[in-house]
Amino acid sequence: MNDNTNRFNELTRREFIRVGAAGAAGVALTGFGGLAANAQAETGATGKLPRRRYGRTGLEISTLVGAADWSAAIIPLAVEQGVNYWHKAHRWTAETMPAAIKSQPRESYYLEVVVDRVGGDHMKGHIDEEQHYQFVKQCVERSGVGYYDVFKFHFGYHSVEEAKTEPGMVRAYERLKQEGLVKHLALSQHHYNNIGGDMAYEVINYLVDNSPYEAAQFFYTYGDRKQIEDCIALAGKKNFGVIAMKTMGGVGRAAEDKKFQTLLAEPRFKGSTPAAAMVKWLMSNSNLTAAVIATSSFDQLQENFGAAKQGAISAGDREALNLLAAYNQGLTCLLCADCVSHCPEHIAIADILRYERYAMDYRDLSRARAEYQALTKNGTACIACGDCLPGCPADINVITKLKQVHALLG
């Protein structure tokens, strides 16, 4: 490790605290090129992030996409390393949008506006054309960006039937597109079997052939169900863009588990970590456009970006993924939502365990608590009937897990 690499690592751990977000961003803008290059040389990864075509949008986007909730201190380095697509960019105003992004030509990066249901959360709220239209217009005005490249329906449709019969979201998009305020249409799709709706892959399989939607974002991780794999394959065949989210289940908690880290030190895992292996595994699927991965530190960004640039998955990477899968068994929800179909109380178990992931893997306890406490029916509604237990492919004792999550977040 040379002096420049030492300097890079010092910034990730100590200097960030000293100079703060603004100072670190300044360093990134003026001097991170060489430091990042040296850090990448250690992993064998050089150059900028690869780009892939985002389905029917025609946009060529970075295989790792950024998000508005990333630390302001790491965004300049992400830009330098090739991130050109920003998830939930509507959260930035003209004053808070990072200088590293807006200093570039507007056509060189892509911004996403995320549109939620109104009058409630993603399960109880409804679609309202006029309110969605006005929301995006206000976001454009507040941000000063001129337009958003992608209009994204957040959380998606409750069912295929709703997608067929409720045109409000699409009509809002069409009005905005006609005015030049948005360009492309996508959605972020969740499962809704807890309220009698459909699974994400069922909705997306329908939209691929029967709607103006051009791309989708949904849960996808190592060991996921075959239906998700088939959905991604269909999307690739039909030129429908796909961004994976919630990919790093268990990675955060494994990183702090001493027993797991002792096992990871064995020679067969040399040169790999669960996070890097997961990124390489995602990149190995040519039907997948990109992944959005929660990133809160320079170390995480360096690890994920290095893996995305390397691309090829090694034998050590596969061993690391298998070790993570074994660690997650009985502990970490894969968000497949199978258990929800068996719950007589219709508890949103997968949502609750997603909030646990925010707390345990993303270290974002405040967000996890806020999401959990907003539920109209939380883990205390469980009657311990056990009907959900046979439906869990991860062998999680859901009854016990709901109690644990409530103790953590309730």
Side-chain angles (χ1 to χ4, degrees):
M1 184 181 292
N2 60 32
D3 290 340
N4 281 337
T5 302
N6 277 324
R7 173 68 173 152
F8 180 90
N9 289 332
E10 285 172 9
L11 180 59
T12 69
R13 297 179 178 87
R14 291 188 292 276
E15 192 169 344
F16 171 70
I17 297 173
R18 180 175 66 80
V19 303
V27 174
L29 282 169
T30 59
F32 255 159
L35 300 178
N38 283 312
Q40 290 157 11
E42 281 203 330
T43 65
T46 58
K48 294 185 182 294
L49 285 169
R51 293 181 179 178
R52 293 182 181 177
R53 182 185 176 90
Y54 192 27
R56 298 167 192 166
T57 71
L59 304 179
E60 294 288 333
I61 71 171
S62 48
T63 51
L64 292 182
V65 305
D69 58 3
W70 283 12
S71 165
I74 64 173
I75 288 176
L77 181 56
V79 171
E80 184 177 297
Q81 296 306 301
V83 172
N84 70 338
Y85 186 97
W86 294 93
H87 178 47
K88 296 184 178 179
H90 70 280
R91 292 183 175 180
W92 289 321
T93 65
E95 291 73 30
T96 62
M97 186 175 177
I101 298 175
K102 65 181 179 182
S103 63
Q104 303 175 93
R106 178 63 184 86
E107 67 276 7
S108 68
Y109 58 88
Y110 308 118
L111 303 178
E112 178 188 280
V113 57
V114 169
V115 184
D116 286 286
R117 291 170 183 266
V118 298
D121 62 14
H122 62 286
M123 288 184 284
K124 294 187 177 296
H126 61 276
I127 295 170
D128 185 295
E129 175 189 342
E130 184 61 26
Q131 290 195 56
H132 302 325
Y133 168 80
Q134 292 296 339
F135 170 77
V136 175
K137 288 198 72 169
Q138 291 164 12
C139 287
V140 172
E141 182 178 355
R142 187 171 62 247
S143 66
V145 298
Y147 63 91
Y148 289 100
D149 299 273
V150 176
F151 173 112
K152 180 170 282 183
F153 177 17
H154 199 203
F155 292 105
Y157 293 103
H158 290 165
S159 64
V160 171
E161 182 62 24
E162 184 182 41
K164 290 179 179 179
T165 59
E166 175 47 80
M169 195 65 72
V170 173
R171 286 180 177 170
Y173 157 75
E174 289 172 341
R175 290 169 62 187
L176 291 160
K177 183 177 181 181
Q178 189 173 19
E179 295 179 25
L181 301 180
V182 297
K183 293 189 174 184
H184 302 286
L185 180 63
L187 80 165
S188 174
Q189 184 63 49
H190 286 224
H191 303 304
Y192 286 104
N193 51 337
N194 65 303
I195 57 172
D198 292 328
M199 304 296 283
Y201 55 82
E202 293 175 310
V203 176
I204 294 166
N205 286 344
Y206 167 76
L207 294 177
V208 164
D209 280 326
N210 299 281
S211 77
Y213 283 91
E214 301 166 88
Q217 179 173 307
F218 52 90
F219 302 157
Y220 180 50
T221 192
Y222 185 73
D224 225 319
R225 59 168 75 207
K226 184 178 183 298
Q227 292 96 324
I228 296 292
E229 296 282 355
D230 291 343
C231 182
I232 294 172
L234 176 65
K237 183 179 179 181
K238 300 287 188 175
N239 189 30
F240 191 83
V242 175
I243 293 177
M245 63 178 174
K246 306 297 183 289
T247 62
M248 294 288 184
V251 171
R253 63 194 87 179
E256 297 187 0
D257 188 300
K258 292 182 179 179
K259 182 177 179 181
F260 183 92
Q261 292 304 310
T262 299
L263 291 172
L264 192 63
E266 294 179 8
R268 61 192 170 119
F269 304 115
K270 186 177 181 180
S272 184
T273 64
M278 187 73 77
V279 172
K280 292 180 189 178
W281 173 76
L282 290 165
M283 299 299 103
S284 71
N285 189 336
S286 61
N287 292 315
L288 187 71
T289 309
V292 55
I293 300 172
T295 304
S296 58
S297 71
F298 287 97
D299 288 340
Q300 286 179 324
L301 186 140
Q302 180 183 340
E303 181 176 35
N304 294 344
F305 281 34
K309 293 173 186 180
Q310 283 184 325
I313 186 166
S314 68
D317 293 325
R318 295 193 182 279
E319 290 280 7
L321 285 174
N322 289 334
L323 180 65
L324 179 66
Y327 175 79
N328 282 335
Q329 200 70 10
L331 176 69
T332 306
C333 176
L334 298 181
L335 308 180
C336 72
D338 276 348
C339 57
V340 177
S341 301
H342 303 280
C343 178
E345 298 301 310
H346 307 293
I347 301 170
I349 302 170
D351 279 340
I352 292 172
L353 299 190
R354 175 162 56 89
Y355 306 151
E356 182 202 36
R357 185 180 292 190
Y358 295 159
M360 301 297 291
D361 289 320
Y362 303 168
R363 299 291 176 258
D364 194 344
L365 186 60
S366 60
R367 177 186 178 187
R369 282 180 171 159
E371 298 272 13
Y372 182 76
Q373 291 170 10
L375 290 170
T376 54
K377 182 181 286 190
N378 62 32
T380 60
C382 175
I383 60 174
C385 66
D387 288 358
C388 61
L389 300 181
C392 180
D395 296 329
I396 293 173
N397 186 322
V398 179
I399 298 170
T400 300
K401 178 66 79 171
L402 288 176
K403 291 179 181 178
Q404 292 171 342
V405 175
H406 185 74
L408 177 67
L409 305 179

